[in-house]
Amino acid sequence: MSMNKNTNTNIDESLYSRQLYVLGHEAMQNMSKSRILISGLGGLGVEIAKNIILSGVKSVTLHDMNDVMLEHLSSQFYLTPKDIGMNRAVAVSNKLAELNMYVNVETTTFNPINQALVDMYDLVILNNYKTEEQIRINNLCRASNVKFISARTAGLFGQIFCDFGNEFVINDPDGEQPLTSIVINIDNDGIVMLSDTTPHGLTNSDQIELVEVKGMNINDKLFKIKVISPTSLQLLDFDCQENYQSGGIVKQVKLPETVSFKSMQESISSPNFVMTDFENIDRPMESHLAFQALDEFQQTHGYLPEAWNTDDASKFYEIVHHMDSSMKPDIFNKFAFVCQGDLAPMQSVIGSVSAQEAIKACSHKFRPINQWMYFDSLGCLPEENLKPEDCEVTNTRYDPQIKVFGNNFQNKLANQKWFVVGSGAIGCELLKNFAMIGLATGSEGKITITDMDTIEKSNLNRQFLFRSKDIGKAKSESAVESILAMNPMINIEAQLNKVCPENEEFYNTSFYQNLDGIANALDNVQARLYVDRQCVLHGKPLLESGTLGTKGNTQVV
C-alpha cells in the first residue's frame, strides 16, 4: 500500500526554505532521491519516520510485524484506542503520509527482512530490535552497500548505532561557512600575518586558498597550512620568489572526507563511542553492556526484568558481571529497574537524533555518529528506589511510564498546571510530549498555550501538528486541535495573546502563582528574557530551549 505518488524532483522552496538554508540544494537533491525502510513503528519508530518524512526524502516504507496494544499508546502519538488490534505500520501510515505530499509513504509486512527487501533501499533503520537480529540485518545491508541505523530504548536508556559502509563520503563535515581572514603580510618563507581583529580559527588539518594577493603569483592555489598563532600561519610547500605588495584574503577550502565504518558484528566488541555526558565517561560502556545483557536475560528467563524488582536486578547484574567482572552494580540495577518503560520524551530524543543521522546518510552533509551513541536520563529518578507495589499497572496508556516513575508521580503529572509560550517547531514537540506523558489530564490540571502567529506554508516542514488545510489559521488553536486527537483527556486552552508587558492584565501575578511551570518555545531573545524575568519574579521553574539550524540548546531555570 502506498500514498503520495509524487514524482516531481524539484525542490519546493516555499516549503523547505528553512531547511535549504541549512542543507543547501545539493544536499536536498541527494535526499530527494533516497529510499528508506523503517522497521518497528512503536514510539521510537514513529518519531524517526515523522522527522524523515518532513525532511523530504523520496520514499519511506514502514515495516512492522506487531499489532497495536494499549501499552503502545504510551509513546506512539499517532495511535488511538480504535487502532488496537491493527498492524502498527498500517495504523499510522495515513497520518504519516499527510506530513509531506512530496514523500511516497508505503507499508509492508514482509517477514523476515531479507536481502531482496534490503536491496530496494538506500538506508535501513531498525527500531528496538534485539542485538542478534540487528547484526544479521546489518550484514545484509553491508553486502549491498546499503546504509544502516539501529536505534533502541529501554526506559531511561537509549542507544544508536550507525554503519554507512566502508567508504562513506562526507561532502561538508560541519555545514559551517568557510572561514576567511584579511592578509596583512606574507614573507618569502610563506609566513602569513593576518588581521588581529579576530582569530582566524583555522587548524593544521585545514587547507586554504588565497585571493586578491598583489605581488605574488599564489592566488587561487590550494595550500596546506601550519598554524603559528591565532593571527598567523605558514603555507606548506610554499615556493614563490616574488615579494608581497598588498591585499589578500585567506579562504578556508572544505574538501570531502571519506569515513570507514565497521560492521556491528565487529564494532560491538571494540566500540567507538560519541560522548553525551562528560561527567560520566564510563557510562557508554556500561550502557553498551546493559543492552547486550538485556537480550541475554530475556532469552534465559523468557521475560524482561520486572519494574523495580530487586531479584530480577540481581539476576541481570550476574549476566553483566559474567561479561565484565570490573563493572559495579549501581547503573545495571537501575537499568533493570526501568527497562520495561516506554517513555515519549526518551523516544523523542533518540528518535530525533536517529533521524538527523538519516539526513546525514542521505544528504552526505555533516559528520555522522561514528559509531555508537548512548544517552540516559537517570537524573529523572527519585533519590530513593521505588518498590514494585508503587508501580502496579492500571490498565491505561500510561502503564509503561508508571513502571518507571510510579503511580504517585503519574497522578502529580495529571494535575499540573503549565503555561506554554509559543506553538512553533519547539512548541509542537513540547505539546506532543506533554500529551503523551499525561500532563494536565486530571481534574485539576491544565495547559495554557498562547501564540499570536498564524500558520504559513514554510511552517509545515518542521511544525508537524499543522497541515496544508491549516494555513492561515491560528497556530495555538490548530495545535490544540491536533493534541486533543492524540490524547483527548488533556485539559488545554489556546490563547492568541503576546506575552509582554502590555498584556500583564492577562498574565498577571494571580495567573503565574497558579502555575506549576512555564515552557518557552519562542524564536526571539526579547520575549524569552521577558518570560525569564516573570519566572524569577514569581518563583516558577522555566523550561527554556531554542534552535539555530542544526544547533540547539535547552536549559532548566
Side-chain angles (χ1 to χ4, degrees):
M1 182 173 62
S2 63
M3 280 115 339
N4 294 355
K5 285 293 185 180
N6 193 306
T7 58
N8 184 9
T9 58
N10 294 325
I11 304 299
D12 186 343
E13 296 190 5
S14 63
L15 175 64
Y16 295 115
S17 58
R18 301 290 184 89
Q19 189 167 302
L20 280 165
Y21 176 77
V22 177
L23 295 178
H25 277 85
E26 180 183 2
M28 281 293 297
Q29 288 288 354
N30 289 337
M31 289 174 57
S32 69
K33 302 172 186 175
S34 298
R35 301 157 300 170
I36 300 176
L37 173 68
I38 301 176
S39 184
L41 269 295
L44 179 58
V46 78
E47 182 70 35
I48 294 173
K50 176 256 290 181
N51 291 327
I52 290 176
I53 291 169
L54 288 172
S55 72
V57 297
K58 179 178 182 179
S59 68
V60 170
T61 300
L62 310 172
H63 173 267
D64 201 308
M65 295 306 298
N66 296 308
D67 292 336
V68 178
M69 301 171 63
L70 177 62
E71 63 190 39
H72 296 150
L73 275 64
S74 176
S75 65
Q76 223 283 27
F77 49 82
Y78 279 151
L79 293 177
T80 69
K82 294 180 180 179
D83 299 320
I84 292 174
M86 290 182 62
N87 177 276
R88 291 195 300 186
V90 174
V92 300
S93 58
N94 287 330
K95 293 177 182 177
L96 286 169
E98 290 175 355
L99 291 170
N100 194 335
M101 63 176 290
Y102 296 109
V103 179
N104 294 329
V105 178
E106 304 175 342
T107 60
T108 180
T109 55
F110 190 92
N111 192 53
I113 293 176
N114 61 14
Q115 193 71 61
L117 184 63
V118 165
D119 289 349
M120 297 170 61
Y121 302 98
D122 302 295
L123 169 65
V124 172
I125 304 175
L126 304 183
N127 300 295
N128 285 324
Y129 271 66
K130 294 181 181 179
T131 304
E132 182 179 0
E133 190 68 353
Q134 291 179 52
I135 291 174
R136 183 186 74 82
I137 297 173
N138 176 237
N139 288 336
L140 297 179
C141 290
R142 289 184 70 84
S144 298
N145 198 30
V146 174
K147 292 175 278 292
F148 175 86
I149 296 172
S150 180
R152 195 174 181 185
T153 60
L156 291 166
F157 290 80
Q159 174 197 73
I160 300 173
F161 173 80
C162 296
D163 175 11
F164 298 166
N166 293 327
E167 295 183 345
F168 179 71
V169 177
I170 309 169
N171 295 327
D172 185 349
D174 60 17
E176 300 291 341
Q177 291 295 318
L179 299 170
T180 61
S181 290
I182 298 173
V183 175
I184 301 301
N185 184 61
I186 306 175
D187 68 17
N188 293 111
D189 293 323
I191 305 296
V192 182
M193 302 302 298
L194 302 168
S195 170
D196 60 2
T197 55
T198 56
H200 54 67
L202 297 166
T203 67
N204 290 336
S205 62
D206 285 320
Q207 297 190 48
I208 60 106
E209 66 178 0
L210 293 105
V211 297
E212 301 179 19
V213 174
K214 296 181 180 179
M216 288 181 157
N217 185 27
I218 58 174
N219 286 320
D220 302 318
K221 293 182 179 180
L222 194 64
F223 289 97
K224 295 182 179 180
I225 63 170
K226 177 182 178 182
V227 173
I228 298 174
S229 76
T231 57
S232 63
L233 54 87
Q234 183 175 15
L235 304 176
L236 303 181
D237 299 324
F238 179 79
D239 184 16
C240 182
Q241 303 304 316
E242 298 97 346
N243 291 323
Y244 172 80
Q245 294 179 3
S246 64
I249 298 174
V250 165
K251 291 185 176 181
Q252 179 190 30
V253 177
K254 290 192 173 185
L255 299 176
E257 293 181 6
T258 300
V259 180
S260 178
F261 291 80
K262 295 185 288 187
S263 69
M264 177 177 279
Q265 192 166 17
E266 180 183 2
S267 178
I268 200 166
S269 58
S270 56
N272 294 322
F273 298 122
V274 172
M275 293 298 299
T276 60
D277 184 356
F278 290 94
E279 290 186 358
N280 295 290
I281 59 174
D282 295 328
R283 190 62 53 79
M285 180 54 76
E286 293 169 337
S287 298
H288 191 66
L289 292 175
F291 275 98
Q292 295 175 62
L294 187 64
D295 293 338
E296 187 172 336
F297 183 101
Q298 188 172 18
Q299 183 175 356
T300 301
H301 300 285
Y303 64 94
L304 295 176
E306 295 290 345
W308 297 96
N309 186 296
T310 54
D311 290 339
D312 283 349
S314 296
K315 295 175 185 177
F316 183 79
Y317 176 66
E318 287 177 9
I319 297 173
V320 174
H321 187 74
H322 182 73
M323 292 177 172
D324 187 339
S325 60
S326 68
M327 292 293 168
K328 304 300 181 184
D330 180 55
I331 295 301
F332 300 101
N333 287 341
K334 290 179 179 177
F335 188 99
F337 289 155
V338 305
C339 67
Q340 284 201 26
D342 180 6
L343 308 174
M346 281 298 299
Q347 313 297 19
S348 184
V349 171
I350 300 301
S352 59
V353 174
S354 299
Q356 189 72 21
E357 295 308 300
I359 291 174
K360 296 175 187 178
C362 297
S363 68
H364 291 265
K365 187 164 185 176
F366 304 111
R367 190 175 288 109
I369 291 174
N370 192 2
Q371 288 188 257
W372 298 88
M373 191 196 91
Y374 288 94
F375 174 83
D376 69 78
S377 191
L378 292 180
C380 295
L381 292 176
E383 293 183 2
E384 294 186 7
N385 290 344
L386 299 179
K387 298 177 181 179
E389 54 266 29
D390 298 328
C391 307
E392 292 181 355
V393 297
T394 58
N395 197 33
T396 68
R397 65 189 300 163
Y398 309 115
D399 283 348
Q401 184 166 278
I402 289 171
K403 290 179 179 180
V404 176
F405 298 115
N407 279 292
N408 288 338
F409 180 82
Q410 191 63 45
N411 291 332
K412 289 180 180 178
L413 277 180
N415 291 295
Q416 291 271 297
K417 300 179 180 66
W418 277 73
F419 184 33
V420 179
V421 188
S423 53
I426 293 176
C428 286
E429 296 296 326
L430 285 172
L431 291 173
K432 175 253 294 178
N433 286 330
F434 286 170
M436 290 296 97
I437 67 175
L439 185 73
T441 53
S443 58
E444 298 179 11
K446 183 179 179 181
I447 295 174
T448 303
I449 168 72
T450 188
D451 195 316
M452 60 184 295
D453 288 343
T454 56
I455 299 164
E456 302 174 359
K457 184 177 181 179
S458 63
N459 300 148
L460 305 182
N461 172 236
R462 62 200 183 282
Q463 300 175 22
F464 85 105
L465 296 181
F466 310 136
R467 302 290 180 269
S468 297
K469 62 181 177 60
D470 298 320
I471 292 175
K473 296 180 181 178
K475 284 186 177 182
S476 59
E477 293 176 343
S478 295
V480 166
E481 183 180 345
S482 296
I483 289 302
L484 286 171
M486 293 179 182
N487 189 347
M489 298 302 295
I490 194 168
N491 300 311
I492 186 168
E493 178 187 352
Q495 297 183 357
L496 309 179
N497 303 317
K498 183 178 181 180
V499 181
C500 60
E502 291 75 20
N503 281 336
E504 288 183 1
E505 61 179 301
F506 303 112
Y507 307 122
N508 52 28
T509 297
S510 176
F511 174 81
Y512 283 104
Q513 286 181 344
N514 196 42
L515 295 173
D516 293 293
I518 297 94
N520 260 355
L522 294 161
D523 59 2
N524 71 87
V525 175
Q526 183 178 359
R528 291 160 75 174
L529 290 175
Y530 173 77
V531 175
D532 177 68
R533 289 195 298 271
Q534 294 302 306
C535 290
V536 172
L537 177 64
H538 297 97
K540 298 298 178 179
L542 171 66
L543 304 182
E544 165 63 31
S545 55
T547 61
L548 179 64
T550 58
K551 302 180 180 67
N553 73 284
T554 184
Q555 184 179 10
V556 180
V557 183

